[in-house]
């Protein structure tokens, strides 16, 4: 299976890793493992079809970061902030699906203000949030489409910028 077309994914990444996830539980576990790599100021972009597992992955990130509140899709509220319960960074979870104006509309969310002390995760952020940071982790999730019960996902992680140049993304695939 090939990952969906993504202009961001086509640019040179400092690091990349590819793995297969067999279930929602494994997707959530991947989020918990990725959380160990994240620190304040990190921008994470999630790309994938409806139902691919973007929010499930983010739920795992929230668990791994030790944040307050249930991580659910912010589709209708656009963004949710989950403060840390452990003294770590807050998780800012954004769903940019309904935002069409790119970074201009995103500026209303003040993500640039939240970014330095939080981990900002943006679903559907392609072409909208890349200018927030030269350093970002882009997670592309591909699922089998159509009438199927197949829960398998192909996940590709792309690390961009100096922040990810020395990060071992492969450690999250073990």
């Amino acid at each position: 299976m090939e990952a969906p077309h993504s202009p961001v994914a086509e640019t040179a990444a400092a690091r990349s890793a590819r793995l297969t996830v067999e279930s929602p539980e494994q997707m959530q576990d991947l989020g918990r493992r990725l959380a160990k790599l994240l620190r304040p100021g990190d921008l994470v972009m999630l790309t994938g079809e409806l139902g691919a597992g973007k929010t499930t992955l983010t739920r795992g990130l929230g668990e791994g970061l030790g944040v307050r509140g249930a991580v659910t899709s912010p589709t209708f509220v656009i963004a949710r902030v989950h403060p840390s319960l452990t003294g770590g960074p807050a998780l800012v979870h954004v769903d940019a699906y309904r935002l069409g104006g790119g970074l201009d509309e995103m500026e209303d969310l003040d993500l640039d203000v939240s970014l330095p002390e939080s981990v900002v995760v943006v679903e559907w952020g392609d072409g909208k949030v890349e200018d927030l940071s030269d350093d970002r982790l882009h997670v592309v999730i591909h699922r089998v489409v159509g009438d199927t019960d197949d829960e398998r996902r192909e996940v590709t992680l792309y690390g961009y910028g100096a922040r990810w140049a020395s990060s071992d993304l492969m450690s999250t695939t073990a």
Side-chain angles (χ1 to χ4, degrees):
M1 285 187 232
E2 290 187 10
H5 174 73
S6 171
V8 175
E10 291 175 359
T11 62
R15 295 274 187 237
S16 66
R18 174 173 268 171
L19 65 148
T20 300
V21 174
E22 301 289 342
S23 67
E25 295 79 20
Q26 284 186 3
M27 184 67 77
Q28 198 162 334
D29 183 59
L30 174 61
R32 284 189 291 271
R33 288 183 281 141
L34 279 173
K36 294 176 185 175
L37 297 176
L38 298 176
R39 61 185 188 213
D42 281 342
L43 173 63
V44 180
M45 292 175 44
L46 304 179
T47 300
E49 299 92 352
L50 285 170
K54 297 178 297 295
T55 300
T56 301
L57 178 75
T58 306
R59 190 171 298 118
L61 289 172
E63 288 176 11
L65 291 170
V67 300
R68 184 180 74 211
V71 174
T72 58
S73 177
T75 299
F76 298 105
V77 295
I78 309 297
R80 283 195 173 94
V81 178
H82 298 274
S84 176
L85 295 171
T86 62
L91 172 67
V92 178
H93 184 196
V94 179
D95 187 327
Y97 184 76
R98 295 187 305 137
L99 301 178
L103 195 57
D104 291 339
E105 265 188 85
M106 298 300 284
E107 283 180 3
D108 291 340
L109 299 176
D110 288 330
L111 294 180
D112 54 336
V113 173
S114 301
L115 189 57
E117 65 271 349
S118 304
V119 170
V120 175
V121 177
V122 183
E123 298 185 26
W124 305 98
D126 284 11
K128 298 175 183 172
V129 298
E130 292 86 349
D131 290 338
L132 282 174
S133 177
D134 291 334
D135 299 311
R136 64 189 173 277
L137 179 62
H138 188 185
V139 181
V140 179
I141 306 169
H142 179 69
R143 70 175 180 92
V144 176
V145 293
D147 187 18
T148 179
D149 291 332
D150 192 347
E151 294 184 337
R152 186 179 61 237
R153 307 292 192 258
E154 298 296 327
V155 180
T156 307
L157 310 170
Y158 298 95
Y160 295 92
R163 158 72 176 98
W164 295 99
S166 61
S167 180
D168 186 11
L169 290 175
M170 291 305 291
S171 67
T172 62
T173 64

Coordinates of all heavy atoms in Angstrom, one line a residue, residues 9 19 28 43 54 58 66 99-100 108 127-128 135 150:
A9 N 5.0 15.4 2.4 CA 5.7 14.2 2.5 C 6.7 14.0 1.3 O 7.7 13.3 1.5 CB 4.8 13.0 2.5
L19 N 5.9 1.8 9.2 CA 5.4 0.6 9.9 C 4.0 0.3 9.6 O 3.2 1.1 9.1 CB 5.6 0.8 11.4 CG 4.8 1.9 12.1 CD1 4.5 1.5 13.5 CD2 5.6 3.2 12.1
Q28 N -3.0 3.4 19.1 CA -2.9 4.1 20.3 C -1.6 3.9 21.0 O -1.0 4.8 21.6 CB -4.1 3.7 21.3 CG -4.4 4.7 22.4 CD -5.7 4.5 22.9 OE1 -6.7 4.0 22.3 NE2 -5.9 4.9 24.2
L43 N 5.7 20.3 16.8 CA 4.5 20.4 15.9 C 4.4 19.0 15.2 O 5.4 18.5 14.7 CB 4.7 21.5 14.8 CG 3.6 21.5 13.7 CD1 2.2 21.8 14.3 CD2 4.0 22.5 12.7
K54 N -6.3 9.0 13.0 CA -5.6 10.2 13.5 C -5.9 10.5 15.0 O -5.0 10.8 15.8 CB -5.9 11.4 12.6 CG -5.4 11.2 11.1 CD -5.8 12.4 10.2 CE -7.3 12.6 10.1 NZ -8.0 11.5 9.4
T58 N -3.7 10.3 18.4 CA -3.6 11.5 19.3 C -4.0 11.1 20.7 O -3.4 11.6 21.7 CB -4.4 12.6 18.8 OG1 -4.0 12.9 17.4 CG2 -4.2 13.9 19.6
G66 N 0.7 12.3 29.5 CA 0.1 12.4 30.8 C -0.7 13.7 30.9 O -0.6 14.4 31.9
L99 N -11.2 24.2 8.2 CA -10.5 25.5 7.9 C -9.9 25.5 6.5 O -9.1 24.6 6.2 CB -9.4 25.7 9.0 CG -9.8 25.7 10.4 CD1 -8.6 25.9 11.3 CD2 -10.9 26.8 10.7
G100 N -10.3 26.4 5.7 CA -9.9 26.4 4.3 C -8.8 27.5 4.0 O -8.2 27.5 3.0
D108 N -5.9 32.7 14.0 CA -7.0 33.0 14.9 C -6.9 32.0 16.1 O -7.4 32.3 17.2 CB -8.3 32.9 14.3 CG -8.6 34.0 13.3 OD1 -7.9 35.0 13.4 OD2 -9.5 33.8 12.4
G127 N -0.7 21.9 4.0 CA -0.9 23.2 3.3 C -1.4 24.3 4.2 O -1.7 25.4 3.8
K128 N -1.5 24.0 5.5 CA -2.1 25.0 6.5 C -1.2 25.4 7.6 O -1.2 26.5 8.1 CB -3.4 24.5 7.0 CG -4.5 24.2 6.0 CD -5.7 23.6 6.6 CE -6.7 23.2 5.5 NZ -7.8 22.4 6.0
D135 N 10.7 22.8 12.1 CA 10.8 21.5 12.7 C 9.5 20.9 12.9 O 8.7 21.5 13.7 CB 11.6 21.6 14.0 CG 13.0 22.1 13.8 OD1 13.7 21.7 13.0 OD2 13.3 23.0 14.6
D150 N -11.0 -4.5 7.4 CA -9.5 -4.5 7.6 C -9.1 -3.3 8.4 O -9.3 -2.1 8.1 CB -8.8 -4.4 6.3 CG -7.4 -4.7 6.3 OD1 -6.8 -4.7 7.5 OD2 -6.8 -5.0 5.3

